[in-house]
Amino acid sequence: MEEIKSKEIDLSTLQKLQSQGTKSTIYTDGDICYKFLDGLYPNEKRDLHRKFLDMAGIKIDNVLLPQDLIIEDGRLKGYNEIFFKLYTLIR
């Protein structure tokens, strides 16, 4: 699991998904899904960040783990994963 800086992601080139999480905003470029955790408290993001790092390299059948962690100012802002065409895009 790699870390990418949030400023490296150009949101203007991504499409916002119609279905959104209750504590996140989700975008796609058609291949990758970008999930921004904008509804979590700082301590929740810190705990999730630690859990993601602990799971790095683990392979579990039928479990989708993040490909990359999106970091801003040293803190978890979100993550990306494979985009499945089952999601609906906002047009």
Side-chain angles (χ1 to χ4, degrees):
M1 203 174 309
E2 299 291 321
E3 292 187 355
I4 56 176
K5 295 183 183 189
S6 62
K7 63 183 175 184
E8 296 174 11
I9 300 169
D10 184 359
L11 291 179
S12 69
T13 64
L14 303 177
Q15 292 180 297
K16 190 174 186 179
L17 297 181
Q18 186 174 28
S19 298
Q20 294 291 314
T22 57
K23 297 188 177 211
S24 62
T25 305
I26 307 170
Y27 300 87
T28 187
D29 63 6
D31 297 316
I32 302 294
C33 182
Y34 298 85
K35 187 170 189 174
F36 292 90
L37 305 169
D38 44 22
L40 295 181
Y41 291 107
N43 64 311
E44 293 175 307
K45 289 181 184 180
R46 185 180 57 249
D47 292 346
L48 187 58
H49 189 185
R50 189 175 340 107
K51 289 175 185 179
F52 283 154
L53 294 176
D54 288 345
M55 291 187 297
I58 293 176
K59 303 270 190 241
I60 304 170
D61 290 339
N62 301 314
V63 174
L64 181 63
L65 295 174
Q67 289 183 327
D68 302 306
L69 302 180
I70 302 168
I71 304 297
E72 181 175 84
D73 298 325
R75 296 186 179 111
L76 181 67
K77 181 163 178 83
Y79 59 89
N80 66 18
E81 60 191 18
I82 297 169
F83 174 69
F84 292 96
K85 305 299 182 204
L86 300 173
Y87 291 115
T88 305
L89 300 173
I90 293 177
R91 303 215 184 263

